[in-house]
Amino acid sequence: MARLSEHGLRRTVGVPGLFATAYGNVGSSIYYALGLVAAHALGLTPLVFLFAGGLFALTAKTYAEGASMFPEAGGSSSFARHAFNDWISFFAGWALSLDYILTIAISAYFVPFYASALPGLHALHNPPGNIIAALVVLALLVVLNIRGLGESARVNFVLAVTDLGTQILVVLLGAVLVLNPSLLVRQVHLGTAPSLSQLIFALSIAMLAYTGIETVSNMAEEAQDPGNDVPRAVNLVLIAVLTVYMGISVIALSALPVTHVAGHYQTLLGTTNPGFEQEPVLGIVDHLGLSGALLTGAQYYVGLLATTILFIATNAGLIGISRLSWSLSEHRQLPSIFSRLHTTYRTPWFTIVFFSAFAVLLITFANINVLGNLYSFGAMLSFTTAHAAIVALRIKDPDRERPYRMPGNVRVRGRLIPITAVVGGIGTFAAWIAVVALHPEAKYVGIPWMVVGMAGYVVYRKRSGLSLRHSVAVVHPERPPDFHELGYRTALVPIFGADVSAQTLVSAAKLIGKDGIVYAVFVLPVPRQLSLDAGLQAEEALGRSILESARIQGRRAGIKVRTGLIRARNPGAALADEAQRIGADVIYLSTLHAPASEQRIGLTASYLLDRRPCRIVIETDNEPTPALATA
């Protein structure tokens, strides 16, 4: 027996996992973004969210195309590396790192405000209790991540669905109990409440509500089928987020309308003491007209759910910065210490501690408005770079395989240019300009962050004797101490049924290197009452069409694939004989897409493990994540 240690991230996440993780990040923003936007947009809050949602839709399409082309951690940084050079790639990555720090800080900062709705925790609503609680949350997650907490796709999915269902329920209850269309119109005093400057200010921070789409891109390296799964997950997130955000903002202004107080207009959504700027969703619940035990139960439920969601969002920020820094370090854009693993727990401890220290400073010395404005600064830079990269790739590399191509294209000098990316890039860049012009913290914190990061990049590359612009081959800083390269040259991949996963071929190809050959074999079981030469023309035709599909998918993935069809009464014995005939170094058997009889360790897998004609690698759906069994 031997263990094969494989570098890189495991492809184990499907559409539900991608959707849950992305919605957990994007959907959690409503718990703080609603109050920040309403404080300035007042009666136009729903329209501001709608406009920002349009930019989000354009950006989501850009990320769907980019992540399906380049299913690797890094998001906009990865797109820029392929489209431009390492200099611009690091620029996007460093802006994105600020986003992740702010995700950690702002999510942890709001945890105690919602937790204060629970019995015995009211002291967490005011300083210093709220600051101390936020720092405790962050410290706890840092320790857990260093020890290897990670994420659970199943837990994320359950929480995301629960959160989505709760938000829809709030909208439906509000539509029945408090919705007043005429009130929504009457509380808008355009030019006064909000003024033009307030409206622009609100628009510049509204994208805060939609940041988090980078999560799908960063997880593309772990998607089972990035070309299909990533665009589908993005579309689901887009529909869910736009529907919920518009609905909640309308109900919020019906429950907590704009009023004229002491010579100026305000809504309790955007004020504190009294007000609900720090827990706007709880404010909506409080003003739905509920009373007694029903109101108390609703407050406890929303407080607990929001606390959990924001806790998970904080953890997602820590995991996201780990993935990003690993990607940058692999491409020699950050020193190797950022991908150094803990000797015991095998986690990137330095990255977690380093970036968490900045989050601690933001929680301790900043406030919610500063956090929100800085968040928009980094997000708009990343989004703009992503749009520009996708447009540049359409011009620079028009023939590249694009599993998903965004709609709305026009032909310019023989190249299909995506209008959605062009408009989205202009919109996000304009939003960034507004953030810098209107928010002092963007000038005094955001710009210095970018200047210091770029200067550090220059110093590091110069000292390493590397070009600032040209990409550097990927390095693998820390192999496990027991790692040994295995000289596989040929891999046999059995195919059962009609579901062909290109990822199985890719996984097998990783074992044999770029010069190896993958043999895809379709196993056609022959009933015992028939001879091996019996007709079965339809079944054989189906098998050959499946093999052709496998060959095409393999070619698209850059894999040398040879195909064959085997008639057999005992598939295990036939595969063992075929492996010996072609001299296969390894049989890669994936049961993830096999019929029920072959899932987990079925008869075929058991036979192969017993006979062992060569190294056997069996990929099974061993919940909660697939596992590799080797023999």
Side-chain angles (χ1 to χ4, degrees), residues 247-480:
I248 283 188
S249 59
V250 167
I251 298 304
L253 284 176
S254 294
L256 300 160
V258 175
T259 57
H260 193 263
V261 179
H264 68 279
Y265 291 93
Q266 67 178 36
T267 168
L268 291 179
L269 280 171
T271 60
T272 57
N273 299 322
F276 300 94
E277 185 180 23
Q278 296 158 330
E279 62 283 336
V281 180
L282 272 176
I284 298 173
V285 172
D286 285 352
H287 288 75
L288 285 179
L290 305 176
S291 61
L294 187 59
L295 174 60
T296 302
Q299 290 172 332
Y300 289 172
Y301 172 74
V302 170
L304 179 61
L305 179 64
T307 299
T308 306
I309 291 295
L310 291 170
F311 189 89
I312 296 297
T314 307
N315 187 55
L318 285 168
I319 294 175
I321 196 65
S322 300
R323 288 189 176 100
L324 175 64
S325 62
W326 179 278
S327 174
L328 294 175
S329 181
E330 275 199 320
H331 292 88
R332 306 291 293 278
Q333 293 168 294
L334 282 177
S336 60
I337 192 172
F338 283 90
S339 60
R340 184 170 297 171
L341 303 181
H342 192 281
T343 54
T344 302
Y345 303 116
R346 314 303 296 168
T347 54
W349 66 271
F350 179 81
T351 289
I352 295 171
V353 173
F354 180 83
F355 288 107
S356 295
F358 289 103
V360 168
L361 292 176
L362 289 171
I363 292 172
T364 305
F365 299 106
N367 57 48
I368 55 177
N369 291 298
V370 170
L371 294 175
N373 299 337
L374 282 174
Y375 205 154
S376 297
F377 175 91
M380 294 309 102
L381 274 184
S382 295
F383 291 171
T384 302
T385 306
H387 287 302
I390 296 304
V391 173
L393 284 166
R394 289 288 190 95
I395 298 171
K396 174 184 176 181
D397 195 0
D399 298 326
R400 175 179 287 276
E401 179 71 22
R402 287 174 170 82
Y404 173 81
R405 189 186 296 269
M406 71 181 76
N409 301 282
V410 296
R411 191 170 293 278
V412 178
R413 296 185 179 181
R415 300 288 191 267
L416 282 176
I417 305 300
I419 296 301
T420 52
V422 173
V423 174
I426 294 172
T428 53
F429 183 68
W432 181 80
I433 293 294
V435 170
V436 173
L438 297 174
H439 306 287
E441 51 271 14
K443 293 191 284 284
Y444 301 137
V445 178
I447 291 178
W449 172 267
M450 296 304 299
V451 171
V452 170
M454 297 307 295
Y457 171 81
V458 171
V459 171
Y460 168 64
R461 295 283 278 221
K462 289 293 186 183
R463 287 187 175 179
S464 302
L466 303 173
S467 166
L468 297 180
R469 294 167 52 86
H470 297 147
S471 296
V472 181
V474 176
V475 296
H476 305 302
E478 286 200 15
R479 296 287 194 183

